Amino acid sequence: MTIENISVNKSFGGWHKQYSHYSNILNCTMQFAIFLPPQVVCGKKVPVIYWLSDVSCTDENFMQKAGVQRLAAELGVAIVAPDTSPRGDDIVDDVDHGLGQGAGFYVNATQAPWNRHYQMYDYVVDELPELIETHFPINEKSAISGHSMGGHGALVIAMRNPERYQSVSAFSPISNPMDVPWGQKAFTAYLGQDRESWASYDTCALMRKAKHFVPARVDQGESDGFLDDQLTSKKLSDAAKASGYPLELNQHVDYDHSYYLISSFIEQHLRFHASHLNQ
């Protein structure tokens, strides 16, 4: 459980730091970023929000583009952003977009050759939180959020582990990956042909059958070029109605898939999480 500090930057009275560590689950060296608000300087333990990024991103995208540090410092919450997949010269990859390095899809791969390294579900749910709680002043309260592929990961992880998270949110999530090209490509490679195994990583499938709820917020741009054929976020409404899931789904006219959407509404997401983390 050792970690190595890569970089340190002072920000809004707190600290943005990057670390590397060897992951026993992923069988490779991983990197994550953490923002620690100024409250930790006084010895206070703070709640944490885990952020899961999209295809081809690293831990740096959200921390550098979203403008999250000012409000995180005000609210007294830590932010943790892991990488989106295993990395390294000996890690199997795919030349096509949406599979391999940068695109772990937050599942536990069962199919060779992916299953040796691509266990991102277990990494985010178990290994990374243990690492964070061991090395940083984090209390028992946590939330999870993400964008696109990361929004898919955040929603699935929260619904499968409702006892672990006080809240969940997503921007432009891949809501029904079983029935869209991005998801079908990744699930076939990582999980094989058994569609029953796919359902355990499909937000709409999980939400329709949910018995235990985590308060959820989703924001989607209506001018997102991926909305109709890949994200299908509107299907979330029907899934939530089927089980009575506490979902707040917000549609935004003229917004697209980019970080302009995220930076425009990240304050509402952080305040949403803080309201549940501080209960």
Side-chain angles (χ1 to χ4, degrees), residues 5 7 15 24 27 34 67 91 102 109 118 153 176 182 193 198 219:
N5 184 233
S7 69
W15 294 97
N24 292 315
N27 296 304
I34 184 169
I91 306 296
Y118 286 77
N176 193 195
W182 282 348
Q193 298 291 340
W198 296 9
D219 283 69

Side-chain angles (χ1 to χ4, degrees), residues 185-232:
K185 176 182 177 180
F187 285 4
T188 300
Y190 295 143
L191 305 174
Q193 298 291 340
D194 180 13
R195 288 181 63 89
E196 288 189 11
S197 68
W198 296 9
S200 62
Y201 295 107
D202 186 288
T203 297
C204 285
L206 292 169
M207 191 172 283
R208 288 188 195 99
K209 298 180 179 180
K211 302 296 183 184
H212 302 283
F213 302 145
V214 179
R217 172 176 178 141
V218 170
D219 283 69
Q220 173 67 58
E222 291 186 354
S223 292
D224 190 322
F226 305 115
L227 177 58
D228 293 332
D229 61 341
Q230 300 284 10
L231 307 178
T232 62

